[in-house]
Amino acid sequence: MLMERFRSVLPIGPRTPILTLGEGATPLVRAPRLGAAIGASDLWLKVEGANPTGSFKDRGMVVAVAKAVESGARAVVCASTGNTSASAAAYAAAAGIEAVVLLPAGKIAAGKLLQAFAAGAKVVSIRGNFDDALEIVRELGAAGGGVEIVNSINPHRIAGQATAAHEIVADLGGAPDALALPVGNAGNISAYWRGFTDAAAAGASAKRPRMIGVQAAGAAPLVSGAPIANPETVATAIRIGKPASWESAIAARDESGGLIDSVTDAEILRAQEEIIRLGGIFVEPACAAPIAGLRNLIASGRVDRSARIVAVMTGFGLKDPDTASRLIGEIREADATLAGVRSALGW
Ligand code: F0G
């Protein structure tokens, strides 16, 4: 359990309840066929979809909800593109407090919305986007009344998410040359950089990786350098125009000698299919952004093809069944006989 394993790097005091749904300790798997397809000879995937609610959000949420309980909160509240709400709803349910989630209307993948409802969260659909929802959440939190914000502007979320970097360092015996991940509100890139920095300071790694952030072309404010009023992308998880952790994401990029790039929706959909068909890991569209980005960056020489690269697969594929439904193929009907099946297979 994450809070116990990483007690020394987390804000855990004697009165902090230790919560767990089994988050963290996710697989780090080599992906040689996928690597070959994008020109990378030493590619690894950190499979964060293996967390209890199917995304990396659980790492920070377990800490944020535990701290909310410690402070006597009666409710947690968040704005979300889906995964934060699924995670907040689950941890609040387990902790016995209320979860309120503000979601951009019509833009939440079906699996994520179902998760929030299933766990009993109060779901509010905002006639606006994620950035509008986060503004309102900030106001709700500022009003007090035992309501704790569990977006990544809550520092406990970042502390919890930084544990993924420690796991990678432990599994590989040091940091990789580069870490690639999708960037939306920019909390996770900030958390990883902090984790790698702390691991290096503690002597667990001789170096820190280049941080490679990838945004969707229609929602790439960190690439263009200015907020975007109406972000759009098929990768709804990262459909964000005004990232809350803007400065720390830029700092992670610059201090690491890394970069933040963007990819088109077509590139994202192609890479989502390659990750499952060549790597065996089924991910939601946002996770395809770093793979699509790496292909471009390796081709243009901005990332070394022989570098050891870890790409973070932040969320599970079944979160967004509608976008994945294009991958459903022809069903081969057959008589219930060996001959029938052979004939359907063309064998
Ligand atoms: N990947 C997935 C699957 C996500 O759900 C998110 C963010 C990101 C990447 C980007 O991480 O925001 O730290 O840069 N999802 C948030 C949510 C915004 O509400 O679930 P980030």
Side-chain angles (χ1 to χ4, degrees):
M1 76 171 76
L2 186 145
M3 289 184 75
E4 291 204 325
R5 176 173 174 194
F6 294 105
R7 181 181 281 272
S8 66
V9 295
L10 293 173
I12 299 174
R15 288 192 314 282
T16 315
I18 302 296
L19 294 179
T20 187
L21 295 178
E23 59 294 319
T26 55
L28 181 64
V29 298
R30 238 190 134 162
R33 295 187 70 223
L34 178 64
I38 63 166
S41 65
D42 192 13
L43 177 68
W44 300 69
L45 304 177
K46 178 69 168 161
V47 187
E48 288 291 281
N51 277 298
T53 76
S55 87
F56 72 99
K57 304 288 181 178
D58 296 340
R59 293 180 180 276
M61 197 57 70
V62 68
V63 182
V65 171
K67 296 300 284 185
V69 170
E70 179 183 351
S71 70
R74 65 179 170 86
V76 292
V77 58
C78 66
S80 182
T81 57
N83 281 323
T84 298
S85 63
S87 186
Y91 282 88
I97 59 175
E98 195 178 347
V100 172
V101 305
L102 273 61
L103 310 176
K107 297 291 180 179
I108 303 299
K112 305 174 188 181
L113 191 59
L114 176 56
Q115 286 180 289
F117 279 117
K122 280 190 182 151
V123 176
V124 182
S125 177
I126 299 289
R127 288 185 280 274
N129 59 33
F130 170 86
D131 306 292
D132 302 320
L134 185 57
E135 263 326 301
I136 299 164
V137 162
R138 287 181 196 270
E139 290 169 31
L140 270 178
V147 175
E148 199 71 53
I149 299 174
V150 292
N151 279 104
S152 56
I153 54 176
N154 178 330
H156 305 314
R157 280 275 315 277
I158 302 292
Q161 285 175 208
T163 60
H166 291 281
E167 289 179 12
I168 291 170
V169 165
D171 287 352
L172 296 178
D177 298 316
L179 183 102
L181 79 177
V183 175
N185 210 25
N188 211 28
I189 190 172
S190 309
Y192 267 94
W193 183 238
R194 172 166 155 190
F196 284 120
T197 299
D198 289 350
S205 176
K207 63 170 185 228
R208 298 183 293 176
R210 289 182 77 196
M211 301 296 290
I212 313 286
V214 185
Q215 302 203 284
L222 295 173
V223 180
S224 67
I228 290 168
N230 296 306
E232 270 314 335
T233 169
V234 68
T236 52
I238 51 173
R239 183 178 169 270
I240 294 175
K242 199 171 158 239
S245 296
W246 187 298
E247 285 81 16
S248 51
I250 298 299
R253 178 194 72 186
D254 295 345
E255 289 168 22
S256 74
L259 49 89
I260 299 179
D261 202 5
S262 66
V263 291
T264 65
D265 280 1
E267 290 173 317
I268 286 174
L269 293 173
R270 174 183 175 196
Q272 183 194 23
E273 182 172 346
E274 289 174 314
I275 296 166
I276 177 64
R277 301 255 162 112
L278 300 174
I281 304 292
F282 188 29
V283 298
E284 65 168 287
C287 313
I291 296 298
L294 283 169
R295 184 202 315 273
N296 297 339
L297 293 165
I298 290 168
S300 64
R302 287 194 288 164
V303 170
D304 184 0
R305 61 178 54 249
S306 63
R308 170 162 287 183
I309 305 170
V310 173
V312 186
M313 299 294 106
T314 47
F316 184 48
L318 287 177
K319 293 264 190 184
D320 187 351
D322 297 320
T323 305
S325 65
R326 74 189 189 285
L327 302 175
I328 295 173
E330 168 215 3
I331 293 182
R332 298 161 195 259
E333 283 195 28
D335 290 336
T337 61
L338 177 60
V341 171
R342 278 188 189 279
S343 134
L345 291 172
W347 282 6

